[in-house]
Amino acid sequence: MIDAYEDPGTPDARGGWRYLTWLVLRQPWRSAAGALLGSVWMVLLAATPLLMARAVDEGLEKDDMGALAFWTGLLAVVGAFNAWLSIMRHRTMTRVRMDANFRTVKVVVGHAVRLGAALPRQVEAGEIVTIGVGDVQQIASALTVIGPGVGAIAAYLAVSALLLTVSVELTVVVLLGMPMIALLVGPLMRRLQGTEAEYRERQGVLTARIGDLASGLRVLNGLGGKGLVADAFRRDSARLREQGYRVGSVTSWMQALGVGLPTLYLAVVTWMAARMAAQGTITVGELVSVYGYVAVLVRPVSYFVDWGYQLGRGVVAARRVVRLLRLEPEPDTGTSEAPAEPSVLYDPESGVRVLPGRLTALAAALPTDAAVVVDRLGRYTPSAATWGGVPLADIPLPQLRARILVADHEADLFAGTLRELVGGHTPPAPQDDRAIARALHTAVAEDIVRGLPEGLDTPIDAQARNLSGGQRQRIRLVRALLADPEVLLAIEPTSALDAHTEARVAERLHTARQGRTTAVTTTSPLVLDQADTVHYLVNGKVTATGTHHDLLEGEPGYRALVARNEDAEEFVK
């Protein structure tokens, strides 16, 4: 089975069938063992009626107790051996499915990491959740055909060969049965793929909406929009339910055929064999063997139908995974070296200049305007922004990411201890507690650590749900400060803090980042007062530049913008 640190390989993303084939070929020996064990197990099940027939014809009819004992003993030995084979087959196929499951998870997670910031722009979060929760399991289940599926074919051929020694007529009936099943199941399998694909699409959309609701429910409630969103969610849920009914309808027919067709098989062939025995064409022992063969054949026929069902759903799931794997990150064609010395970051579209070694603030009437500027300066969106005169698009992305950090106030927080959480990509060692302490002090977050039962080693939930909004924001700032980037671009780093805490964070941030390039987006007068330079943006363009006090005196729009926040902060106090 795949190791947690093993390279999962390069998946075949040319289609759903090719992806499933790739999963099989990545574990060839295990897949071959599963097919072999499944085939021998199913064939030996078919051998049981043959041994029973010999016991009847050579033991009971001839009153030969020695022959009866021999064939009965051989039947017991074969049964015991086949029970062991069944255990080994199941273990092997479980490993095959688990390998496919974990390998797909690693492939999907690895590709999501490679996409990076391009991921949320190309695919909804609900799509990723649906793939991780449902599609991965469907893909793993589809690989069941390797063992029981191949074994069913082997058993079908073996039973046909054994029946040929009894009656050509019965053999023809059995051989014609499978094409008839394919004719019945084939259209249902194609219909299942269509309905299942549509169901998965709608499920992904609804999952994304659930995530949006969970994160914005408090805001929606405050704006009075909870009822409208709830009605939309109810309608989407109803449509998903109706689509689920359609999937269930096709599934029920396939499962009914999986039970009904083998039973019909058994009835027809048994009736024909009974007539032959009554006419003396076959012996009583052969009649017993024919009944046993057909009874054994019930399982392979059921597997054939289930095979189609599992493969239909597995291909739909694989196509969704392949669609994700075909997404490409933003191209990185940069060949120019980044500036060796601290240099000016310039966004010509807005006119924003971030001077090296200074704290720059971007104040915009619409916070999204300032955030868009930061995205351009951090090269998260295509732009003509430059760094020291060198276009950001011409600089290799790894160089930019190593020196410029964009700290989003809604950045994800992964589950783990607080120490691991603030450590980011490379968690600091215990001996680096002094660096953590400095970052905690700057972000005024010492009280968070003191309030946790195990301090830095306290487990934190995913997205830090066991912390308050203000605490989460300060922890994000601690993580950014601990990374100690050459250029820090922070989006609304204090928006969820009370005025007293915000004032202390602003003062300490200015001191801690002295001599290093820092830019923040904010409309808080407490933060703006600490900035060396403030850019006032209107409609995404710089309208005025200066210190906070200069802009208050000379820019009415800026004064009105800041006054709104001053009123809010007085209310907080």
Side-chain angles (χ1 to χ4, degrees), residues 11 13 24 29 53 59 74 92 95 123 164 166 180 187 189 193 304 310 335 350 389 418 435 445 499 501 561:
V24 174
W29 294 110
L74 186 57
T92 303
R95 289 178 176 270
V123 63
L164 191 60
V166 177
M180 294 297 296
M189 181 176 173
Q193 290 184 26
F304 280 130
Q310 294 291 354
T335 56
S350 64
L418 182 58
T501 305
L561 174 66

Side-chain angles (χ1 to χ4, degrees), residues 510-531:
H510 183 273
T511 302
R513 294 286 299 176
Q514 193 71 40
R516 313 211 74 183
T517 306
T518 307
V520 298
T521 70
T522 184
T523 56
S524 168
L526 299 174
V527 180
L528 293 169
D529 188 48
Q530 293 292 328

